[in-house]
Amino acid sequence: MRSEGVITSAPLLGEPLPVELMNTVTADRGRTHDALDRDAGAAAWLRAVAGRLGTDGPIAAEQLDEDAVRAVAGPLRALRDALRRLAAETSEDPRPPATAPDLARPEAISTLNRLAQTWPELVWPTDGHPTQAYRGPGTAADRAVQLLAHQAVQLFAGPDRDRLRPCLAPNCLLFFVKNHARREWCSPTCGNRMRVARHYRRHHTPPHS
């Protein structure tokens, strides 16, 4: 997907950013695709979402090139796997795990908390209004992962946790936040796919004898 001129192979559906991170694992014709499996892919995804990290100032794309992201690509994948593990539990996802099948709940929580090393600070210029900024140790790439983890803590501790759903359309591995009562799928594409599957079953299921 393209976001502000940056291309990533992962879908960007306008979900909360931790859910977008979960959705970097997709399926196509029975094969699983991981948009973060290479450092270049991890860098492209972080650049594509940098403007949504909620900092006091945007993290510039040039701060998230492949060299800068290489050191945090592993933690970013670990965070993604932890979030998918926790999302599967809270949403009662019946699908088999697409990543880290042996990851235990305590380990997932520990990974999330360890990476959420960011804290709010008051920024109040003499000639302006006070604002909140998030700080953390390390580079801009480190801060990007920290902010993602921080947003994930807010997601699982907040009301959106109960609205988190797995998309149960055929061949879909994504999650979404059910933001209105009639929503059943992550996207219209999956909704159409599910309707086609139901139509096929109705017209090709042999009658019971």
Side-chain angles (χ1 to χ4, degrees):
M1 297 289 288
R2 181 183 293 271
S3 177
E4 297 183 357
V6 180
I7 298 175
T8 171
S9 61
L12 294 173
L13 303 177
E15 298 291 339
L17 206 47
V19 181
E20 302 274 41
L21 178 58
M22 298 177 206
N23 291 345
T24 55
V25 177
T26 57
D28 181 31
R29 298 178 182 177
R31 293 186 176 183
T32 300
H33 172 71
D34 183 354
L36 308 182
D37 63 345
R38 298 176 182 272
D39 294 346
W45 187 83
L46 280 177
R47 289 197 301 272
V49 302
R52 298 172 55 191
L53 288 170
T55 62
D56 54 316
I59 297 176
E62 57 267 23
Q63 295 178 286
L64 297 171
D65 62 16
E66 185 176 348
D67 289 338
V69 170
R70 185 170 291 115
V72 303
L76 181 65
R77 296 180 196 111
L79 177 61
R80 188 267 316 278
D81 295 349
L83 299 188
R84 288 187 64 92
R85 168 64 178 82
L86 297 174
E89 176 174 319
T90 195
S91 66
E92 299 182 347
D93 185 2
R95 305 170 299 183
T99 62
D102 299 324
L103 183 63
R105 180 176 183 271
E107 184 181 354
I109 295 172
S110 177
T111 296
L112 173 53
N113 288 335
R114 174 172 49 82
L115 292 173
Q117 298 179 45
T118 185
W119 57 87
E121 290 185 353
L122 179 66
V123 178
W124 196 344
T126 56
D127 57 349
H129 297 286
T131 58
Q132 177 178 265
Y134 284 93
R135 309 298 189 199
T139 65
D142 289 315
R143 188 156 56 102
V145 176
Q146 293 156 8
L147 288 164
L148 282 163
H150 177 78
Q151 289 187 25
V153 170
Q154 294 178 316
L155 172 73
F156 285 111
D160 278 348
R161 180 190 69 251
D162 294 333
R163 294 192 282 265
L164 195 58
R165 299 288 188 274
C167 183
L168 300 181
N171 205 37
C172 188
L173 302 176
L174 305 191
F175 290 91
F176 66 95
V177 173
K178 187 179 177 73
N179 51 13
H180 54 80
R182 299 185 63 183
R183 186 178 182 188
E184 297 183 61
W185 323 111
C186 69
S187 67
T189 299
C190 274
N192 291 337
R193 188 182 300 132
M194 196 64 179
R195 283 187 285 272
V196 168
R198 286 172 175 169
H199 178 82
Y200 183 88
R201 285 197 299 269
R202 282 198 302 269
H203 291 83
H204 293 82
T205 302
H208 294 291
S209 58

